[in-house]
Amino acid sequence: MLRKLGKSTVVPNNLNSDIPPGQSVTQKFPILTYGQTPEVSQDTWAFRAFGSVTEELEIDFKTLLSMTQTQLTRDFHCVTQWSNLDNLWEGVQFREILNLIKFKPEARHVMVHCYGGYSTNLTIDTLMESDVLLAHKHNGEVLTPEHGSPVRLLVPSRYGWKSAKWVSGVEFMCIAQPGFWEKLGYHNNGDPWKEQRYQL
Ligand SMILES: Nc1nc2c(c(=O)[nH]1)N[C@H]1C(S)=C(S)[C@@H](COP(=O)(O)O)O[C@H]1N2
Ligand SMILES: [Mo]
């Protein structure tokens, strides 16, 4: 289910009980982080939109909480072959954030940037999907530091490495550039149903 709290929209749940090819289900929610967990608090967190924009935008945690909140349940698929099912996430639909940003029409891609230096690239079309969130809660609790507190991106239709933790902003780009794992050979798109793991 995708539920908007307050003003509301409903997007159907993934009623499909399949898991993508090559994945195994785990009951655990392993922590997958390259490097250290950065220390970011709700008070210091800021999200910045820059690059190919006509005006930069900055959002703080209070502003994020003042926006329409959405809850949804989705499966999570890591490219290292574990899938964790039925995670309940809460946050703001990323398309609501995109609607606030005056990006240039020729900008079709973004680089997602994180505290700590991690990055990943996505298309604006993917970020417009209704279940992409700037999430601050998981299974009813605020995110733990290791899982990306205070705010992470959630992109359920892609492998987990696209769901950037400790997200600090998005850089709009006219031409796709590879992020951290994409530079090391991971796929630009990363659709688990198509097994887009690596790109040669
Ligand atoms: N900033 C940042 N975000 C990240 C990562 C990372 O190393 N740094 N790892 C990614 C990978 S590979 C996966 S599978 C998921 C795992 O999320 P989790 O650690 O909350 O399970 O986070 C993604 N987001
Ligand atoms: Mo991953």
Side-chain angles (χ1 to χ4, degrees), residues 28-36 38 76-80 82 84 89 113-120 138 143-148 152-153 159-167 180-181 186:
K28 290 179 271 192
F29 190 19
I31 293 157
L32 258 280
T33 302
Y34 184 87
Q36 304 294 309
F76 193 91
H77 311 292
C78 174
V79 72
T80 61
W82 54 266
N84 171 287
W89 300 96
H113 292 280
C114 301
Y115 290 90
Y118 185 87
S119 60
T120 188
H138 175 250
L143 292 175
T144 61
E146 295 75 18
H147 286 300
R152 76 180 296 164
L153 186 67
Y159 282 118
W161 87 80
K162 301 279 189 185
S163 289
K165 301 188 281 190
W166 316 289
V167 59
F180 178 80
W181 284 119
Y186 283 76

Side-chain angles (χ1 to χ4, degrees), residues 69-122:
Q69 303 295 306
T70 296
Q71 281 187 352
L72 54 82
T73 301
R74 286 293 184 277
D75 300 341
F76 193 91
H77 311 292
C78 174
V79 72
T80 61
Q81 302 193 297
W82 54 266
S83 290
N84 171 287
L85 308 185
D86 298 330
N87 295 281
L88 172 66
W89 300 96
E90 184 175 328
V92 172
Q93 273 182 311
F94 202 84
R95 51 162 69 158
E96 300 243 338
I97 311 272
L98 283 175
N99 287 340
L100 300 176
I101 305 170
K102 296 187 183 78
F103 54 90
K104 296 185 182 166
E106 60 272 27
R108 303 308 312 148
H109 305 268
V110 302
M111 186 67 77
V112 182
H113 292 280
C114 301
Y115 290 90
Y118 185 87
S119 60
T120 188
N121 59 292
L122 286 156

Side-chain angles (χ1 to χ4, degrees), residues 29-63:
F29 190 19
I31 293 157
L32 258 280
T33 302
Y34 184 87
Q36 304 294 309
T37 294
E39 269 180 49
V40 194
S41 70
Q42 292 182 354
D43 291 340
T44 57
W45 182 79
F47 176 91
R48 202 163 70 90
F50 60 103
S52 291
V53 295
T54 52
E55 213 177 294
E56 293 194 358
L57 178 84
E58 197 171 299
I59 290 175
D60 62 13
F61 195 75
K62 278 202 187 103
T63 307

